[in-house]
Amino acid sequence: MHQHICPHCRNASVPNLAVRWSSRESPAECTACGQLSHVVSSTSSGIWVFGVLLVVASGIAALVTQSLWVGLAGLALMVACNVCAWQRTELWPISKTDARTANKVGWWAAIGAWVVALFVN
Ligand SMILES: [Zn+2]
């Protein structure tokens, strides 16, 4: 399985799956040095948007050509691009205290948005 390069110790020891779900609020942990790192949110959302666009495009192509194979080829392309893009992503180092603060801020932002939503409705 592909492992990502840790920005702290330069070992390829950050699990792929942890990187995929990592953010400032919940960073991935290096299995070699135990330090935290995360992908930039613009990168992960960019990959996500690109994936959705490819799925939509292959869906349209399948409808136009009336061929399931075109749609499947589009999906295969999407998966390949997704895997490739994730392997190229750079990790950003984050300290444990920063991650804890970001997590707290994230929670307060979520609670704040919830309260605002209650009052707006
Ligand atoms: Zn490390």
PDB file of all heavy atoms in Angstrom, residues 4-14 29-37, ligand 1:
ATOM      1  N   HIS A   4       2.584   7.905   2.460  1.00  0.00           N
ATOM      2  CA  HIS A   4       3.000   9.263   2.143  1.00  0.00           C
ATOM      3  C   HIS A   4       4.271   9.644   2.894  1.00  0.00           C
ATOM      4  O   HIS A   4       4.546   9.108   3.959  1.00  0.00           O
ATOM      5  CB  HIS A   4       1.878  10.240   2.498  1.00  0.00           C
ATOM      6  CG  HIS A   4       0.802  10.262   1.463  1.00  0.00           C
ATOM      7  ND1 HIS A   4       0.751  11.200   0.459  1.00  0.00           N
ATOM      8  CD2 HIS A   4      -0.246   9.433   1.265  1.00  0.00           C
ATOM      9  CE1 HIS A   4      -0.295  10.948  -0.303  1.00  0.00           C
ATOM     10  NE2 HIS A   4      -0.928   9.889   0.161  1.00  0.00           N
ATOM     11  N   ILE A   5       5.003  10.587   2.294  1.00  0.00           N
ATOM     12  CA  ILE A   5       6.241  11.057   2.917  1.00  0.00           C
ATOM     13  C   ILE A   5       5.878  11.972   4.098  1.00  0.00           C
ATOM     14  O   ILE A   5       5.139  12.935   3.941  1.00  0.00           O
ATOM     15  CB  ILE A   5       7.105  11.849   1.912  1.00  0.00           C
ATOM     16  CG1 ILE A   5       7.359  11.042   0.640  1.00  0.00           C
ATOM     17  CG2 ILE A   5       8.410  12.328   2.557  1.00  0.00           C
ATOM     18  CD1 ILE A   5       8.415   9.974   0.757  1.00  0.00           C
ATOM     19  N   CYS A   6       6.432  11.653   5.248  1.00  0.00           N
ATOM     20  CA  CYS A   6       6.192  12.469   6.432  1.00  0.00           C
ATOM     21  C   CYS A   6       7.022  13.751   6.328  1.00  0.00           C
ATOM     22  O   CYS A   6       8.226  13.689   6.063  1.00  0.00           O
ATOM     23  CB  CYS A   6       6.589  11.675   7.676  1.00  0.00           C
ATOM     24  SG  CYS A   6       6.607  12.655   9.175  1.00  0.00           S
ATOM     25  N   PRO A   7       6.411  14.940   6.481  1.00  0.00           N
ATOM     26  CA  PRO A   7       7.165  16.198   6.398  1.00  0.00           C
ATOM     27  C   PRO A   7       8.113  16.415   7.579  1.00  0.00           C
ATOM     28  O   PRO A   7       8.973  17.282   7.539  1.00  0.00           O
ATOM     29  CB  PRO A   7       6.075  17.272   6.355  1.00  0.00           C
ATOM     30  CG  PRO A   7       4.882  16.637   6.966  1.00  0.00           C
ATOM     31  CD  PRO A   7       4.980  15.163   6.723  1.00  0.00           C
ATOM     32  N   HIS A   8       7.938  15.630   8.639  1.00  0.00           N
ATOM     33  CA  HIS A   8       8.796  15.788   9.822  1.00  0.00           C
ATOM     34  C   HIS A   8      10.073  14.963   9.691  1.00  0.00           C
ATOM     35  O   HIS A   8      11.163  15.483   9.857  1.00  0.00           O
ATOM     36  CB  HIS A   8       8.041  15.352  11.085  1.00  0.00           C
ATOM     37  CG  HIS A   8       6.833  16.179  11.370  1.00  0.00           C
ATOM     38  ND1 HIS A   8       6.895  17.410  11.971  1.00  0.00           N
ATOM     39  CD2 HIS A   8       5.521  15.947  11.130  1.00  0.00           C
ATOM     40  CE1 HIS A   8       5.675  17.908  12.094  1.00  0.00           C
ATOM     41  NE2 HIS A   8       4.820  17.036  11.588  1.00  0.00           N
ATOM     42  N   CYS A   9       9.931  13.664   9.387  1.00  0.00           N
ATOM     43  CA  CYS A   9      11.101  12.779   9.390  1.00  0.00           C
ATOM     44  C   CYS A   9      11.473  12.283   7.999  1.00  0.00           C
ATOM     45  O   CYS A   9      12.430  11.547   7.837  1.00  0.00           O
ATOM     46  CB  CYS A   9      10.875  11.607  10.343  1.00  0.00           C
ATOM     47  SG  CYS A   9       9.539  10.501   9.839  1.00  0.00           S
ATOM     48  N   ARG A  10      10.725  12.679   6.953  1.00  0.00           N
ATOM     49  CA  ARG A  10      11.020  12.313   5.556  1.00  0.00           C
ATOM     50  C   ARG A  10      10.968  10.817   5.307  1.00  0.00           C
ATOM     51  O   ARG A  10      11.560  10.322   4.357  1.00  0.00           O
ATOM     52  CB  ARG A  10      12.383  12.880   5.131  1.00  0.00           C
ATOM     53  CG  ARG A  10      12.394  14.380   5.011  1.00  0.00           C
ATOM     54  CD  ARG A  10      11.840  14.840   3.685  1.00  0.00           C
ATOM     55  NE  ARG A  10      11.039  16.060   3.814  1.00  0.00           N
ATOM     56  CZ  ARG A  10      10.114  16.441   2.936  1.00  0.00           C
ATOM     57  NH1 ARG A  10       9.843  15.692   1.906  1.00  0.00           N
ATOM     58  NH2 ARG A  10       9.432  17.541   3.117  1.00  0.00           N
ATOM     59  N   ASN A  11      10.293  10.051   6.159  1.00  0.00           N
ATOM     60  CA  ASN A  11      10.083   8.633   5.901  1.00  0.00           C
ATOM     61  C   ASN A  11       8.730   8.472   5.215  1.00  0.00           C
ATOM     62  O   ASN A  11       7.818   9.248   5.472  1.00  0.00           O
ATOM     63  CB  ASN A  11      10.068   7.838   7.212  1.00  0.00           C
ATOM     64  CG  ASN A  11      11.459   7.624   7.745  1.00  0.00           C
ATOM     65  OD1 ASN A  11      12.375   7.292   7.010  1.00  0.00           O
ATOM     66  ND2 ASN A  11      11.607   7.813   9.052  1.00  0.00           N
ATOM     67  N   ALA A  12       8.613   7.472   4.350  1.00  0.00           N
ATOM     68  CA  ALA A  12       7.315   7.189   3.727  1.00  0.00           C
ATOM     69  C   ALA A  12       6.513   6.330   4.702  1.00  0.00           C
ATOM     70  O   ALA A  12       6.369   5.130   4.535  1.00  0.00           O
ATOM     71  CB  ALA A  12       7.505   6.481   2.401  1.00  0.00           C
ATOM     72  N   SER A  13       6.028   6.988   5.744  1.00  0.00           N
ATOM     73  CA  SER A  13       5.397   6.206   6.811  1.00  0.00           C
ATOM     74  C   SER A  13       4.098   6.806   7.322  1.00  0.00           C
ATOM     75  O   SER A  13       3.678   6.529   8.441  1.00  0.00           O
ATOM     76  CB  SER A  13       6.389   6.029   7.958  1.00  0.00           C
ATOM     77  OG  SER A  13       7.006   7.253   8.239  1.00  0.00           O
ATOM     78  N   VAL A  14       3.435   7.626   6.484  1.00  0.00           N
ATOM     79  CA  VAL A  14       2.114   8.110   6.862  1.00  0.00           C
ATOM     80  C   VAL A  14       1.097   7.305   6.052  1.00  0.00           C
ATOM     81  O   VAL A  14       1.130   7.333   4.830  1.00  0.00           O
ATOM     82  CB  VAL A  14       1.950   9.623   6.585  1.00  0.00           C
ATOM     83  CG1 VAL A  14       0.631  10.130   7.132  1.00  0.00           C
ATOM     84  CG2 VAL A  14       3.104  10.397   7.189  1.00  0.00           C
ATOM     85  N   GLU A  29      -1.296  10.697  11.463  1.00  0.00           N
ATOM     86  CA  GLU A  29      -0.141  10.480  12.321  1.00  0.00           C
ATOM     87  C   GLU A  29       0.890   9.616  11.611  1.00  0.00           C
ATOM     88  O   GLU A  29       0.546   8.607  11.001  1.00  0.00           O
ATOM     89  CB  GLU A  29      -0.602   9.812  13.629  1.00  0.00           C
ATOM     90  CG  GLU A  29       0.443   9.936  14.723  1.00  0.00           C
ATOM     91  CD  GLU A  29      -0.026   9.285  16.023  1.00  0.00           C
ATOM     92  OE1 GLU A  29      -1.191   9.459  16.406  1.00  0.00           O
ATOM     93  OE2 GLU A  29       0.806   8.584  16.629  1.00  0.00           O
ATOM     94  N   CYS A  30       2.155  10.025  11.702  1.00  0.00           N
ATOM     95  CA  CYS A  30       3.259   9.271  11.102  1.00  0.00           C
ATOM     96  C   CYS A  30       3.536   8.044  11.965  1.00  0.00           C
ATOM     97  O   CYS A  30       3.614   8.151  13.188  1.00  0.00           O
ATOM     98  CB  CYS A  30       4.493  10.166  11.031  1.00  0.00           C
ATOM     99  SG  CYS A  30       5.980   9.311  10.544  1.00  0.00           S
ATOM    100  N   THR A  31       3.697   6.879  11.310  1.00  0.00           N
ATOM    101  CA  THR A  31       3.932   5.663  12.086  1.00  0.00           C
ATOM    102  C   THR A  31       5.392   5.554  12.525  1.00  0.00           C
ATOM    103  O   THR A  31       5.719   4.753  13.386  1.00  0.00           O
ATOM    104  CB  THR A  31       3.552   4.405  11.267  1.00  0.00           C
ATOM    105  OG1 THR A  31       4.201   4.467  10.004  1.00  0.00           O
ATOM    106  CG2 THR A  31       2.051   4.306  11.078  1.00  0.00           C
ATOM    107  N   ALA A  32       6.286   6.378  11.926  1.00  0.00           N
ATOM    108  CA  ALA A  32       7.702   6.331  12.291  1.00  0.00           C
ATOM    109  C   ALA A  32       8.022   7.270  13.464  1.00  0.00           C
ATOM    110  O   ALA A  32       8.637   6.862  14.444  1.00  0.00           O
ATOM    111  CB  ALA A  32       8.565   6.678  11.098  1.00  0.00           C
ATOM    112  N   CYS A  33       7.602   8.541  13.353  1.00  0.00           N
ATOM    113  CA  CYS A  33       7.983   9.505  14.392  1.00  0.00           C
ATOM    114  C   CYS A  33       6.800   9.961  15.250  1.00  0.00           C
ATOM    115  O   CYS A  33       6.993  10.656  16.253  1.00  0.00           O
ATOM    116  CB  CYS A  33       8.678  10.715  13.765  1.00  0.00           C
ATOM    117  SG  CYS A  33       7.616  11.725  12.725  1.00  0.00           S
ATOM    118  N   GLY A  34       5.572   9.609  14.859  1.00  0.00           N
ATOM    119  CA  GLY A  34       4.406   9.953  15.675  1.00  0.00           C
ATOM    120  C   GLY A  34       3.963  11.392  15.550  1.00  0.00           C
ATOM    121  O   GLY A  34       3.046  11.834  16.232  1.00  0.00           O
ATOM    122  N   GLN A  35       4.612  12.164  14.648  1.00  0.00           N
ATOM    123  CA  GLN A  35       4.242  13.564  14.452  1.00  0.00           C
ATOM    124  C   GLN A  35       3.026  13.660  13.537  1.00  0.00           C
ATOM    125  O   GLN A  35       2.729  12.729  12.788  1.00  0.00           O
ATOM    126  CB  GLN A  35       5.417  14.318  13.831  1.00  0.00           C
ATOM    127  CG  GLN A  35       6.655  14.312  14.694  1.00  0.00           C
ATOM    128  CD  GLN A  35       6.802  15.596  15.479  1.00  0.00           C
ATOM    129  OE1 GLN A  35       5.876  16.024  16.174  1.00  0.00           O
ATOM    130  NE2 GLN A  35       7.954  16.214  15.362  1.00  0.00           N
ATOM    131  N   LEU A  36       2.360  14.803  13.577  1.00  0.00           N
ATOM    132  CA  LEU A  36       1.135  14.975  12.804  1.00  0.00           C
ATOM    133  C   LEU A  36       1.357  15.806  11.546  1.00  0.00           C
ATOM    134  O   LEU A  36       2.193  16.699  11.522  1.00  0.00           O
ATOM    135  CB  LEU A  36       0.077  15.652  13.677  1.00  0.00           C
ATOM    136  CG  LEU A  36      -0.297  14.922  14.964  1.00  0.00           C
ATOM    137  CD1 LEU A  36      -1.201  15.780  15.813  1.00  0.00           C
ATOM    138  CD2 LEU A  36      -0.954  13.589  14.664  1.00  0.00           C
ATOM    139  N   SER A  37       0.588  15.497  10.514  1.00  0.00           N
ATOM    140  CA  SER A  37       0.613  16.270   9.275  1.00  0.00           C
ATOM    141  C   SER A  37      -0.761  16.132   8.616  1.00  0.00           C
ATOM    142  O   SER A  37      -1.543  15.269   8.968  1.00  0.00           O
ATOM    143  CB  SER A  37       1.718  15.780   8.344  1.00  0.00           C
ATOM    144  OG  SER A  37       1.620  14.390   8.164  1.00  0.00           O
TER     145      SER A  37
HETATM  146 ZN    ZN B   1       7.475  11.035  10.593  1.00  0.00          ZN
END
